[in-house]
Amino acid sequence: MNKREWQSRLLCLWVVMAHYPFFIVHSYAQGPTYEQLVGTWIGVHIEQDIDFVCPLPNYIRLDADSTYHLGMVDGSAQEQVSRWAIRGESVRFDTVHFAPKLVTVQNDLLRIGKNYPMVLRRFVDIPVDSARAYQQLSGRVWQSDSLVMAFYANGKVSLENRTTKQRTAHFWRLARFGKSVFVVIRGNQYNRFRGYKPLWQLSSLQPGQLEAIGWNGRSVSTERFTFVSKLLPSDSCRPSGFQACGNCFRPTWYERSLTLGQKRYDLLAFVMKQYQPVQREIETGLIQIQFAVNCEGEKGPITLNSFGEDYCPRRFAPQITSQLITICQNYVATDTSLREPERSGEWPLDLWVSLTFRLKEGRITELLP
């Protein structure tokens, strides 16, 4: 199973967990108690790497009678009901057994798993008037120390990182869960169905100010948002630059191999036909070109790295690098077959392309894996 399949499996694990049983070899550790686990837990994210997480929009309610309820906070999937238990130092959810140390509770955060742990927070039901919340959010721009959120009346929303100034476009709605109200943000600039952003639970509404509990990029906290301005009818919800369709996109995990099999032969043949050699003895080494293409065929910025025969960084003649960049932009990036989903009926793929060309005296000799 590759990383992309793991990512997809883990994102929907809570909904289909009973159908994918697995067992893990025991280690020795003190497990959580019934008292610690009983309650409702709201998904925060799945930790895919030290510095990379994917939002987890699920909830799990663990009842004291050993029943658990599993569903989506926004009600987009039917709730699943099954049994849970603690056996010795292991925790069991239906037929899924987690060995000691793989289910932990600390500071009201529940962590499940090891390689790609799921993190959930303990839910406290905070009554909020959903009609008032909608009136306060819709058509307005709000900002915290780290984030600017613009809620358009047509259901679109833009999120801007105040540090990087990167802005992305999505769709928003309010979802009632218990007596609480969550701001659910999902989709991309094209449609509302391509994955979720982190959930925000509204905890306080005041004139010109609101507070919400959620993941701020560093931790789960209560963020204070202040009113910035009203949106004008002429304002449009657009990303500031390239935006992947999925909300959990990371280069290399979405890499499609172009250097194996028939694709490699076709690509090399095309490049050799289009490329005009710049015959100079010093133009020898490797050129690596990397870029992303989203599901709609929009291209992200191109990164070019080049190395000499000693694998130390070096520059190649602009006549060489510009040709290769043009070929990648006008041929590789426009190949719609690369974005075809792996299974029928799925969404077109975001794509990460990484190509390495070996040159000898200005001539392309090889396309490396």
Side-chain angles (χ1 to χ4, degrees):
M1 182 179 294
N2 61 36
K3 286 184 177 179
R4 188 188 310 160
E5 289 171 331
W6 262 114
Q7 179 187 32
S8 177
R9 176 72 61 83
L10 287 165
L11 281 173
C12 66
L13 177 62
W14 284 120
V15 178
V16 297
M17 188 163 59
H19 301 289
Y20 294 95
F22 60 92
F23 298 86
I24 303 172
V25 177
H26 280 244
S27 59
Y28 295 97
Q30 183 68 39
T33 65
Y34 260 90
E35 290 73 20
Q36 288 177 304
L37 291 178
V38 166
T40 301
W41 302 86
I42 299 293
V44 178
H45 55 237
I46 297 171
E47 294 182 356
Q48 303 284 19
D49 208 339
I50 294 175
D51 60 347
F52 181 62
V53 299
C54 289
L56 185 65
N58 308 87
Y59 70 86
I60 182 169
R61 192 177 85 226
L62 302 173
D63 295 336
D65 65 358
S66 295
T67 301
Y68 79 76
H69 302 256
L70 181 65
M72 303 288 284
V73 171
D74 63 355
S76 59
Q78 184 176 357
E79 183 182 72
Q80 304 294 308
V81 181
S82 190
R83 306 288 292 175
W84 72 284
I86 295 179
R87 295 284 185 268
E89 296 180 337
S90 298
V91 179
R92 175 179 64 82
F93 297 108
D94 194 65
T95 59
V96 183
H97 293 244
F98 290 92
K101 222 173 185 177
L102 296 185
V103 177
T104 61
V105 176
Q106 185 176 11
N107 298 328
D108 285 330
L109 290 181
L110 171 64
R111 294 175 62 89
I112 302 176
K114 181 180 180 181
N115 293 332
Y116 302 96
M118 291 170 284
V119 178
L120 301 95
R121 66 176 179 85
R122 189 179 294 279
F123 171 64
V124 177
D125 203 358
I126 303 172
V128 169
D129 186 304
S130 57
R132 181 186 171 197
Y134 180 82
Q135 291 174 354
Q136 189 152 334
L137 291 178
S138 183
R140 298 185 175 191
V141 181
W142 298 83
Q143 75 175 25
S144 68
D145 291 340
S146 59
L147 184 66
V148 178
M149 299 195 288
F151 296 92
Y152 292 78
N154 63 1
K156 292 187 176 182
V157 60
S158 67
L159 306 179
E160 181 176 319
N161 184 306
R162 296 190 65 187
T163 300
T164 66
K165 303 302 180 183
Q166 182 181 13
R167 184 177 64 254
T168 56
H170 313 273
F171 288 79
W172 74 282
R173 61 173 287 241
L174 298 181
R176 179 163 291 285
F177 186 81
K179 297 179 181 179
S180 298
V181 172
F182 281 80
V183 180
V184 178
I185 298 174
R186 64 182 301 191
N188 52 45
Q189 63 270 46
Y190 307 111
N191 64 66
R192 65 179 70 245
F193 304 112
R194 286 293 293 267
Y196 291 79
K197 300 294 286 184
L199 296 168
W200 288 97
Q201 180 187 357
L202 297 176
S203 57
S204 174
L205 298 176
Q206 302 294 333
Q209 180 179 296
L210 62 87
E211 292 183 349
I213 305 169
W215 174 256
N216 63 13
R218 302 178 302 276
S219 63
V220 176
S221 67
T222 299
E223 293 281 299
R224 179 173 296 174
F225 292 84
T226 56
F227 171 71
V228 176
S229 64
K230 290 186 177 181
L231 291 164
L232 301 175
S234 58
D235 292 334
S236 60
C237 186
R238 296 178 181 174
S240 58
F242 174 79
Q243 179 181 337
C245 294
N247 288 315
C248 200
F249 176 83
R250 187 172 200 179
T252 70
W253 287 20
Y254 286 78
E255 186 171 353
R256 179 66 66 92
S257 178
L258 309 181
T259 55
L260 298 173
Q262 188 64 36
K263 271 293 181 187
R264 178 179 184 275
Y265 174 82
D266 293 342
L267 178 57
L268 185 57
F270 180 86
V271 172
M272 298 294 283
K273 182 179 180 180
Q274 299 294 318
Y275 177 75
Q276 299 297 315
V278 179
Q279 295 192 7
R280 297 175 187 164
E281 186 175 347
I282 63 171
E283 306 295 352
T284 297
L286 302 171
I287 296 178
Q288 182 188 62
I289 296 177
Q290 297 177 310
F291 59 95
V293 183
N294 69 18
C295 67
E296 295 288 330
E298 294 179 344
K299 297 181 287 291
I302 281 186
T303 299
L304 185 145
N305 296 295
S306 50
F307 310 89
E309 288 186 290
D310 56 1
Y311 295 99
C312 292
R314 60 145 299 177
R315 290 178 180 270
F316 282 79
Q319 301 95 313
I320 294 176
T321 55
S322 62
Q323 283 193 73
L324 293 178
I325 288 175
T326 298
I327 290 170
C328 288
Q329 286 181 323
N330 296 340
Y331 176 69
V332 180
T334 58
D335 186 348
T336 57
S337 69
L338 300 177
R339 302 194 306 277
E340 291 177 356
E342 296 177 348
R343 289 178 287 272
S344 177
E346 294 186 345
W347 295 98
L349 300 174
D350 293 318
L351 176 69
W352 175 251
V353 176
S354 180
L355 297 171
T356 302
F357 301 92
R358 183 184 295 278
L359 287 87
K360 180 70 173 178
E361 299 178 0
R363 295 176 292 104
I364 296 175
T365 62
E366 193 175 0
L367 181 60
L368 299 179

